[in-house]
Amino acid sequence: MAWWFPFLHPSALEIHRMGQEVICALREGERLPDQIPGVMAEGGIRGIYSATVRAAEEADLSDMVLWVKPPRDASNLLDLSEGDWRRAFEALEEGLEALRCALPYLLGEGSPKLVLLLPRPQGLISSAIRGALSALASSFEAEARDLGLSVICREEDQPLG
């Protein structure tokens, strides 16, 4: 039973140190701690889809942590670069696709959990991502409950253990 991290977050190492199995998606230029296995996620949506399937084939996925790290976060809408805005919401879209793909693998035995790590609202982008993840938790709650999946929202720097 393994935790699936479509985006690397420090809590992956924390969970691993607690004796639980973890598997993370890895993107070009990223390094994982040596103890944590990873699968390459190349090229956005298609890449995270195939990485999720490979992770499920390599490990029995039981839980998932979704964290979307906002880029440099300007406070004013007019100060945001188009690139930062686009990268943030492409990452959010990628994370949601990872969830859609992982969901069938998470269901079944046990009590699977989806942990949504909310970024601190430090500007417009982080606030928008926080709002999107909070809305996902709220609107997905009834469906998740029917599937036997717990949905938990936590601050991004709050320990999972």
Side-chain angles (χ1 to χ4, degrees):
M1 306 298 275
W3 287 79
W4 170 230
F5 282 78
F7 295 100
L8 178 61
H9 184 269
S11 62
L13 190 54
E14 170 193 333
I15 290 171
H16 173 75
R17 286 182 180 145
M18 292 171 25
Q20 297 181 46
E21 191 177 348
V22 173
I23 189 163
C24 296
L26 181 65
R27 284 151 182 87
E28 190 174 326
E30 285 184 332
R31 289 205 58 210
L32 292 175
D34 291 337
Q35 312 91 313
I36 297 179
V39 291
M40 192 62 160
E42 301 170 10
I45 295 293
R46 287 194 174 130
I48 196 60
Y49 184 86
S50 62
T52 303
V53 171
R54 284 192 316 275
E57 290 171 351
E58 291 181 20
D60 185 14
L61 301 183
S62 59
D63 304 290
M64 180 174 167
V65 174
L66 180 56
W67 175 61
V68 179
K69 180 181 180 180
R72 179 192 62 80
D73 209 351
S75 294
N76 299 315
L77 184 60
L78 290 175
D79 293 338
L80 290 173
S81 74
E82 180 181 342
D84 283 350
W85 183 261
R86 189 175 310 262
R87 278 188 296 282
F89 288 97
E90 285 172 354
L92 179 61
E93 183 181 20
E94 192 176 335
L96 295 177
E97 186 61 24
L99 171 59
R100 285 173 21 96
C101 181
L103 198 54
Y105 298 107
L106 295 173
L107 303 177
E109 49 186 89
S111 301
K113 292 182 287 300
L114 167 63
V115 180
L116 302 170
L117 297 180
L118 306 176
R120 293 279 180 204
Q122 299 175 353
L124 189 71
I125 294 175
S126 58
S127 294
I129 290 172
R130 182 183 182 90
L133 291 175
S134 296
L136 168 69
S138 176
S139 62
F140 183 51
E141 184 178 13
E143 180 182 357
R145 186 176 44 251
D146 289 346
L147 295 170
L149 177 71
S150 298
V151 179
I152 302 160
C153 287
R154 297 235 169 130
E155 298 296 329
E156 67 181 336
D157 54 0
Q158 186 179 7
L160 294 181

